[in-house]
Amino acid sequence: MTLAEPPTPSALVDLGLLLRNADRMRAVAAGAGVVLRPHVKTHKSPRIARIQHAGRPGPITVSTLAEAEAFAAAGFEDITYAVPIEPGKIVRALLLCRKIRLTLDLDGPEAAGALACAAAKESLRVPVLLEVDCGDHRCGVEPESAESVELARRVADSSGLDFRGLLTHAGHSYAATSKESVRRIAGEERTAVVSLAERLRAGGLEVSTVSVGSTPTMTHFESLDGVTEIRPGNYVFFDAFQASHGSCAWEDCAMTVLSAVVHRSEERIVLDAGAIALSKDEGPRDLDPSCGFGRVLDLEGSDTGLRISKLTQEHGEVALPSGFDASRFPPGARVRILPNHSCLTAAQHAEYLVLEGGEIVDRWPTIRGW
Ligand SMILES: Cc1ncc(COP(=O)(O)O)c(C=O)c1O
């Protein structure tokens, strides 16, 4: 099938670029001597997760229990659910803990108490990581605080819990606008968990997992000394944000949305990919105020220079620069859109059309819901 045939909008994945991105991060992990535990929320596809592990169902990170359940059903047996578990999800999580190695994330005493009780009642010993805040200020304990040590000790002393170590995510690397500042944040990400791990070990606790990772920091880190595993996710697709911020080249971006022109006038063309098919992520606006909501590429993947200027639910408007010859974009003409944030865009699509040599060679379903 060529790109003239599939329904629009559709998510496209360029197989060659995907394989290259996956190989590169595997080489980064191997070079640093750490386990690669990719975050699969980026693609929600067991096929892609296997590619990230050279064909095997290796260790992965998820951000929903629906992902954990579906990847477990697809043969993945070592999964970290990297969102603090809240009491309402414990029963469901424990069902999966009976089948595979599901590591849970804790960052406070209330959920720790509820999980310890529920696990002990079921005679389970659930692997747990303590989430640490390395500067993102989303979730996690303060690495320098006395509470972080107390919580780790409490988890380690609970018969239903198996304290495995520490996890952090430098989400604030997304606000950095230079490689130097990403490098500094990668240093903070590492130091937050490595130094807390040292304090815990000094207090007699065993800390076997020290887990870090975001795509920007895993692209620009200086050292991973003391780290045992990395959890980048976005790198397998990349997107306009990552290319603008220097995590990749534009030619590395592997995921696009196939879309058709539904309307053309002197001033604009309108596409059938709107906010649902693309997401309203503002992407690299801090570095490139004219980035719009995505780059309009031709079917070969070359930049047309056009940007999505406005989004409504199912319409993507492209304001045309004055004098732009839009004769090649009559209604029905097809383009590809490079999204600002591939993870959010991909999450809207039920399948990927796999592109190789200009042809659709496969379709890979994705996991939906929570
Ligand atoms: C806890 C956690 N780990 C890892 C990642 C992967 O980071 P990235 O998407 O930058 O690769 C994320 C992404 O949000 C995350 O929330």
Side-chain angles (χ1 to χ4, degrees), residues 86-243:
E86 56 90 15
K89 295 192 179 70
I90 288 176
V91 170
R92 187 173 165 197
L94 293 188
L95 275 177
L96 198 52
C97 288
R98 291 202 170 281
K99 299 185 188 152
I100 61 152
R101 179 184 183 78
L102 178 68
T103 300
L104 298 179
D105 167 327
L106 283 173
D107 73 349
E110 298 86 358
L115 183 63
C117 244
K121 221 183 264 173
E122 299 219 14
S123 308
L124 283 168
R125 197 143 180 267
V126 176
V128 163
L129 294 175
L130 188 61
E131 180 162 345
V132 174
D133 179 8
C134 63
D136 190 27
H137 306 320
R138 182 177 65 181
C139 295
V141 295
E142 269 296 308
E144 314 267 303
S145 67
E147 290 77 23
S148 60
V149 177
E150 261 167 47
L151 186 57
R153 160 98 28 228
R154 178 172 172 180
V155 171
D157 288 345
S158 302
S159 62
L161 306 180
D162 178 15
F163 176 68
R164 304 299 303 166
L166 306 173
L167 164 155
T168 195
H169 167 63
H172 54 313
S173 61
Y174 278 71
T177 49
S178 69
K179 286 181 190 170
E180 293 66 40
S181 39
V182 177
R183 200 166 292 140
R184 180 181 48 75
I185 291 168
E188 290 167 10
E189 186 180 40
R190 184 188 80 85
T191 306
V193 276
V194 169
S195 60
L196 179 55
E198 278 162 11
R199 275 168 66 213
L200 296 177
R201 287 183 187 122
L205 287 187
E206 200 180 316
V207 183
S208 52
T209 301
V210 178
S211 177
V212 302
S214 73
T215 289
T217 54
M218 292 307 97
T219 308
H220 294 306
F221 67 85
E222 256 165 16
S223 159
L224 287 178
D225 285 354
V227 165
T228 65
E229 69 170 31
I230 61 172
R231 305 184 320 278
N234 177 278
Y235 75 92
V236 79
F237 284 162
F238 289 125
D239 51 34
F241 177 93
Q242 303 288 355

Side-chain angles (χ1 to χ4, degrees), residues 10-33:
S10 283
L12 304 176
V13 168
D14 185 304
L15 184 58
L17 298 178
L18 183 86
L19 292 170
R20 193 171 74 187
N21 294 341
D23 283 352
R24 280 187 190 152
M25 195 55 84
R26 238 184 4 264
V28 167

